[in-house]
């Protein structure tokens, strides 16, 4: 479905930073007890104001060096702040995590890391009060992808989800999730696509599909109106809502990777569409079939709606 893209070649400065990150990762992986508790080390700094594409390219050579040194991560993933990729050693986890200044490397006792993350996601600060902050930006990961055998699913993860407390919160959670996909998937899963389906309890047969494709880089939404294609005024209604083209009864909208507001526009369209079809709260929605290239198990704690 998607043709692979070629990663950019790192420059000399990137090469040195990548080699240092790989050496540090090997040290953390081989001697976790000696390094546990040490501060996280910044390995992929982001210049102030750097956009999504710039952060992606700053991370790419470092991430590729880590994979060359340690192999593919146990869990791919991303948060609102950057990557959240993990290499499990059994009792310990080497963590590549996003932060305000860039991506950092650290090692943790797996049970301690899980406990801290579980406390964060169950603290009541995410998705509870419509009048307060949405809190999805504080989640340790918005998505995680596991591609090992099912019997090897890591115990140290939270596989639930929070439902947004308002439509505004749902827009925020979806924007963060889709933005993370656009920033992280080209680095962690080059050339691959991701998608999920959304259904509305009050208009159940009409499913909406959300996808991200890397070739070309774009978010896309599509909704099935084959049974109502001849309905008077439908075209005007759909275009006013934000849909762009109709193909065989499927209405579509696409938002290119180079548009910094692509994720926000896609999230707004999804919310506008399900509300126009009668949904009164995010709890009436359900997402299913989350996947990256139909390979592995994808969790979406930051999606902001029930997951079936």
């Amino acid at each position: 479905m998607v043709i692979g893209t070629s990663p950019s070649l790192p420059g000399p400065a990137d090469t040195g930073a990548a080699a240092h990150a790989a050496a540090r990762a090997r040290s953390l992986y081989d001697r976790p007890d000696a390094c546990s508790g040490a501060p996280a080390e910044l390995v992929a700094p982001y210049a102030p104001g750097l956009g999504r594409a710039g952060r992606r390219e700053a991370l790419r050579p470092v991430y590729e060096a880590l994979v060359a040194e340690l192999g593919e991560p146990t869990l791919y993933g991303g948060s609102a702040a950057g990557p959240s990729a993990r290499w499990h050693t059994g009792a310990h986890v080497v963590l590549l995590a996003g932060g305000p200044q860039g991506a950092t490397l650290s090692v943790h006792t797996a049970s301690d890391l899980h406990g801290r993350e579980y406390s964060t996601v169950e603290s009541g600060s995410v998705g509870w009060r419509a009048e307060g902050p949405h809190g999805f930006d504080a989640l340790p990961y918005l998505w995680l992808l596991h591609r090992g055998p099912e019997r090897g699913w890591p115990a140290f993860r939270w596989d639930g989800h929070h439902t947004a407390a308002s439509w505004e919160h749902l827009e925020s959670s979806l924007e963060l999730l889709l933005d993370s996909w656009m920033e992280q998937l080209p680095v962690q899963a080059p050339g691959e696509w991701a998608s999920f389906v959304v259904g509305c309890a009050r208009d159940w047969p009409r499913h909406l599909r959300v996808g991200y494709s890397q070739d070309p880089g774009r978010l896309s939404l599509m909704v099935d109106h084959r049974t109502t294609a001849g309905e008077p005024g439908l075209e005007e209604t759909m275009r006013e809502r934000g849909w762009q083209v109709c193909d065989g009864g499927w209405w579509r909208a696409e938002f290119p990777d180079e548009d910094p507001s692509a994720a926000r526009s896609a999230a707004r369209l999804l919310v506008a569409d399900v509300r126009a079809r009668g949904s009164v709260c995010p709890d009436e929605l359900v997402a299913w079939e989350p996947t990256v290239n139909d390979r592995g198990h994808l969790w979406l704690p930051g999606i902001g709606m029930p997951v079936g």
Side-chain angles (χ1 to χ4, degrees):
M1 179 173 177
V2 176
I3 300 173
T5 56
S6 299
S8 59
L9 294 175
D14 297 327
T15 303
H20 173 78
R24 178 60 177 165
R26 173 54 64 187
S27 176
L28 297 177
Y29 193 91
D30 288 347
R31 298 187 296 279
D33 287 317
C35 302
S36 186
E41 181 173 337
L42 185 66
V43 293
Y46 303 154
L50 197 62
R52 182 200 309 123
R55 294 191 301 270
R56 190 166 60 204
E57 295 315 310
L59 176 66
R60 191 189 300 272
V62 169
Y63 179 82
E64 290 175 349
L66 298 183
V67 171
E69 183 66 33
L70 301 181
E72 294 292 332
T74 313
L75 287 169
Y76 307 80
S79 71
S84 185
R86 295 133 191 270
W87 288 262
H88 289 242
T89 69
H92 293 85
V93 178
V94 176
L95 174 65
L96 176 68
Q101 296 178 305
T104 64
L105 264 180
S106 55
V107 67
H108 308 267
T109 302
S111 57
D112 290 346
L113 178 64
H114 177 249
R116 290 195 299 273
E117 292 184 336
Y118 190 84
S119 295
T120 298
V121 298
E122 292 289 351
S123 65
S125 61
V126 182
W128 284 90
R129 300 173 185 267
E131 64 275 12
H134 57 77
F136 287 94
D137 52 350
L139 287 174
Y141 39 86
L142 299 167
W143 62 276
L144 287 177
L145 173 65
H146 181 250
R147 283 185 159 166
E150 182 174 334
R151 64 181 180 274
W153 284 358
F156 302 108
R157 57 173 172 78
W158 184 75
D159 59 356
H161 64 273
H162 283 295
T163 300
S166 69
W167 293 118
E168 292 76 18
H169 285 191
L170 179 59
E171 281 189 15
S172 296
S173 66
L174 288 169
E175 178 185 350
L176 290 171
L177 173 64
L178 296 176
D179 221 24
S180 178
W181 274 7
M182 297 175 83
E183 183 173 324
Q184 295 301 318
L185 286 176
V187 176
Q188 298 185 40
E192 300 193 15
W193 53 271
S195 69
F196 57 88
V197 179
V198 177
C200 312
R202 296 174 188 258
D203 189 17
W204 186 250
R206 202 174 320 287
H207 299 153
L208 189 156
R209 183 172 292 275
V210 181
Y212 173 58
S213 169
Q214 294 183 45
D215 186 24
R218 66 188 178 195
L219 287 171
S220 62
L221 275 69
M222 53 189 294
V223 64
D224 185 1
H225 269 276
R226 289 173 294 179
T227 59
T228 58
E231 187 177 289
L234 177 64
E235 180 171 357
E236 181 180 1
T237 297
M238 295 298 281
R239 292 193 185 279
E240 287 178 352
R241 200 174 293 169
W243 295 100
Q244 298 166 358
V245 297
C246 184
D247 180 12
W250 286 88
W251 279 90
R252 303 173 183 268
E254 296 182 349
F255 307 94
D257 185 86
E258 59 266 23
D259 178 1
S261 63
R264 181 176 304 171
S265 298
R268 285 178 175 173
L269 174 56
L270 188 153
V271 170
D273 190 78
V274 296
R275 294 187 71 178
R277 289 193 277 132
S279 301
V280 299
C281 65
D283 231 356
E284 292 191 337
L285 309 179
V286 62
W288 72 93
E289 292 182 6
T291 184
V292 176
N293 246 56
D294 288 336
R295 188 162 68 91
H297 193 104
L298 176 65
W299 294 281
L300 300 175
I303 197 172
M305 66 184 77
V307 176

